[in-house]
């Protein structure tokens, strides 16, 4: 049974503020009494789940993410063998005032599950709201803290009236196919493409972007130069550890990390495996639960389920030890060499006197025979 911690009037006021984008006081931070109900509500929802799949998400499909509670069902309703993109409603103020936009990812290193790219944006003069929310590097926050901040971004009027976000859930199946295909695409290229596409998506949604902050992939100078050529109208900053330096990047990092965590919690195996996230762990190669999953779920012919990134060395090593060895014919890199005479050899030019210049047939030459035309 769900416990309602807000009065009906309060819930209505908050919903109206989110829809209209009306200005709200920004002094309500993550540690204030106004945000305690959200954290307590999340905790009570987790504790109230008394079934065997405690902690797993409900999978009733939804078409819009309005809170942490609707994130899992939305993801579960999508095909996890393909990429999924979600863009939140754009606050009205972000259409008018110049905004800063942050970009970051989650799940770059794991051997299991998707990699998620996220963006967050808000007006330049709303930076204090990010601090009040408690935005910091998502890797430094506990899972519960990240969940609370994500929920507040989507439900608290002072946040949802000026902060928007979007994510690209990059399927492990897509990652493997790109990295192992004949026309190979590196993880860095996949990452940069996702970041660029999300910035384009924000522009198409009407966000008035002025500044862009990105957590780097590879050398920051080259990445920044590439982005500056694509988006010359923006002030772009690409830096290492940007998620711990710029609050707007931290907000993007939190959105990406929470989305990845819940993607694993609601993962459905098209192969028919009846497993939960407790059975495969965090997805990182160093996790003993993940290693156990890899060793116990190898099909001798078809390999791993599609939650596994086949292109990772951890997966390749496990396959080489337990799966069937398969050899594929690679296309020849060089043109085939033909041992016989070229066809053009039989159509050589004529001499000046008009005689056709042809080389004697090999059969006659080897037997010392001549062609006789006059008898």
């Amino acid at each position: 049974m769900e416990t309602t911690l807000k009065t009906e009037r309060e819930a209505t006021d908050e919903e109206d503020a989110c829809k209209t984008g009306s200005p709200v006081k920004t002094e309500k931070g993550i540690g204030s009494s106004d945000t305690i109900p959200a954290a307590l509500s999340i905790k009570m929802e987790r504790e109230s789940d008394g079934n065997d799949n405690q902690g797993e998400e409900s999978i009733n499909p939804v078409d819009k993410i309005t809170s942490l509670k609707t994130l899992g069902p939305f993801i579960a309703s999508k095909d996890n063998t393909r990429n999924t993109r979600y863009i939140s409603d754009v606050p009205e103020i972000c259409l008018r005032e110049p905004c800063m936009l942050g970009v970051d990812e989650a799940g770059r290193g794991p051997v299991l599950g998707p990699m998620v790219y996220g963006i967050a944006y808000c007006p330049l003069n709303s930076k204090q709201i990010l601090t009040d929310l408690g935005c910091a590097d998502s890797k430094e926050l506990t899972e519960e803290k990240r969940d609370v901040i994500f929920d507040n971004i989507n439900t608290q009027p002072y946040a949802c009236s000026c902060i928007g976000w979007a994510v690209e859930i990059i399927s492990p199946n897509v990652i493997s196919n790109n990295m192992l295909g004949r026309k190979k695409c590196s993880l860095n290229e996949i990452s940069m493409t996702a970041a660029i596409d999300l910035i384009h998506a924000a522009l198409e949604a009407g966000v008035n972007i002025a500044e862009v902050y990105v957590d780097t992939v590879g050398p920051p100078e080259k990445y920044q130069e590439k982005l500056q050529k694509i988006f010359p109208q923006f002030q772009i900053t690409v830096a290492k550890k940007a998620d711990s330096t710029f609050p707007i990047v931290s907000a993007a990092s939190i959105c990406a990390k929470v989305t990845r965590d819940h993607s694993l919690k609601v993962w459905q195996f098209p192969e028919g495996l009846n497993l939960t996230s407790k059975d495969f762990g965090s997805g990182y190669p160093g996790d003993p639960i993940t290693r156990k999953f890899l060793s116990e779920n190898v099909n001798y012919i078809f390999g791993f389920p599609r939650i596994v990134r086949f292109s990772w060395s951890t997966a390749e090593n496990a396959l080489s030890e337990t799966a069937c060895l398969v050899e594929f014919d690679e296309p020849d890199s060089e043109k085939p060499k033909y041992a016989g005479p070229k066809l053009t050899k039989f159509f050589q030019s004529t001499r000046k006197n008009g005689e056709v210049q042809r080389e004697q047939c090999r059969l006659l030459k080897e037997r010392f025979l001549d062609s006789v035309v006059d008898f």
Side-chain angles (χ1 to χ4, degrees):
M1 181 179 295
E2 183 177 349
T3 304
T4 303
L5 298 175
K6 301 176 183 176
T7 66
E8 186 174 348
R9 176 66 178 275
E10 289 172 339
T12 303
D13 291 344
E14 291 181 2
E15 185 177 351
D16 290 342
C18 287
K19 289 180 179 178
T20 60
S22 57
V24 186
K25 293 181 181 179
T26 62
E27 61 268 13
K28 300 176 182 178
I30 192 69
S32 69
S33 60
D34 290 76
T35 58
I36 291 175
L40 183 58
S41 176
I42 293 169
K43 186 176 181 180
M44 291 181 67
E45 286 173 8
R46 289 174 173 171
E47 291 176 348
S48 65
D49 186 3
N51 57 27
D52 294 337
N53 293 327
Q54 184 175 356
E56 299 298 322
E57 298 283 355
S58 166
I59 55 173
N60 294 325
V62 297
D63 57 4
K64 188 176 181 181
I65 301 171
T66 56
S67 65
L68 179 71
K69 190 176 180 179
T70 56
L71 174 62
F74 173 85
I75 298 171
S77 67
K78 305 302 177 183
D79 181 359
N80 59 27
T81 65
R82 299 175 180 272
N83 290 358
T84 297
R85 181 184 299 169
Y86 179 81
I87 303 173
S88 72
D89 292 337
V90 179
E92 185 181 341
I93 194 173
C94 294
L95 301 174
R96 303 190 312 267
E97 298 189 10
C99 296
M100 53 183 167
L101 180 146
V103 184
D104 199 10
E105 52 76 27
R108 181 178 171 84
V111 65
L112 301 183
M115 177 173 68
V116 180
Y117 253 81
I119 62 170
Y121 52 86
C122 70
L124 296 175
N125 58 7
S126 300
K127 184 177 180 180
Q128 183 60 40
I129 294 180
L130 300 171
T131 304
D132 292 340
L133 279 167
C135 290
D137 182 2
S138 65
K139 302 177 188 68
E140 301 297 326
L141 299 171
T142 63
E143 180 180 354
E144 185 175 10
K145 189 79 167 179
R146 289 193 298 265
D147 285 351
V148 169
I149 295 173
F150 179 85
D151 196 59
N152 286 341
I153 289 175
N154 288 278
T155 60
Q156 294 299 312
Y158 74 93
C160 64
S161 61
C162 64
I163 299 175
W165 60 280
V167 290
E168 178 90 14
I169 305 174
I170 307 172
S171 167
N173 191 54
V174 172
I175 294 173
S176 298
N177 288 342
N178 276 278
M179 295 183 68
L180 296 176
R182 287 185 173 175
K183 186 178 180 181
K184 300 186 184 303
C185 182
S186 71
L187 191 63
N188 281 1
E189 292 175 295
I190 297 172
S191 300
M192 291 179 183
T193 300
I196 293 167
D197 287 348
L198 282 174
I199 297 173
H200 276 304
L203 280 174
E204 291 172 2
V207 181
N208 184 12
I209 303 172
E211 300 176 4
V212 176
Y213 299 89
V214 184
D215 194 35
T216 191
V217 172
E221 299 80 11
K222 291 184 178 180
Y223 193 7
Q224 182 167 322
E225 183 182 356
K226 178 175 183 176
L227 290 176
Q228 200 69 71
K229 288 181 179 179
I230 299 173
F231 305 106
Q233 71 273 37
F234 303 149
Q235 177 184 325
I236 298 178
T237 301
V238 179
K240 295 179 180 179
K241 301 294 182 182
D243 47 351
S244 58
T245 306
F246 305 103
I248 192 63
V249 180
S250 301
S253 178
I254 290 168
C255 291
K257 181 64 175 171
V258 172
T259 301
R260 173 177 155 79
D261 289 344
H262 287 257
S263 295
L264 293 176
K265 288 181 180 180
V266 300
W267 188 271
Q268 299 176 60
F269 289 88
E271 298 83 6
L273 298 176
N274 187 21
L275 301 173
T276 69
S277 60
K278 295 178 181 179
D279 299 313
F280 51 76
S282 65
Y284 283 88
D287 186 339
I289 299 177
T290 299
R291 286 187 171 277
K292 182 181 178 183
F293 169 82
L294 291 174
S295 64
E296 294 179 352
N297 290 276
V298 181
N299 183 284
Y300 184 69
I301 301 297
F302 299 106
F304 291 115
R306 280 179 281 188
I307 191 175
V308 179
R309 302 179 190 178
F310 284 74
S311 49
W312 259 235
S313 59
T314 306
E316 290 180 357
N317 294 337
L319 284 176
S320 64
E321 294 172 0
T322 56
C324 175
L325 179 64
V326 180
E327 294 183 1
F328 294 94
D329 291 332
E330 293 293 336
D332 295 329
S333 57
E334 298 181 0
K335 293 183 178 180
K337 296 180 180 179
Y338 179 60
K342 294 182 179 180
L343 185 63
T344 54
K345 192 173 183 179
F346 298 97
F347 300 93
Q348 294 180 358
S349 58
T350 58
R351 293 192 177 101
K352 291 182 179 180
N353 59 4
E355 292 184 25
V356 178
Q357 184 179 354
R358 292 194 180 96
E359 186 175 342
Q360 189 179 26
C361 171
R362 186 179 64 183
L363 177 68
L364 299 179
K365 186 188 294 185
E366 289 176 352
R367 290 163 176 76
F368 302 100
L369 299 175
D370 290 323
S371 297
V372 178
V373 292
D374 295 326
F375 296 93

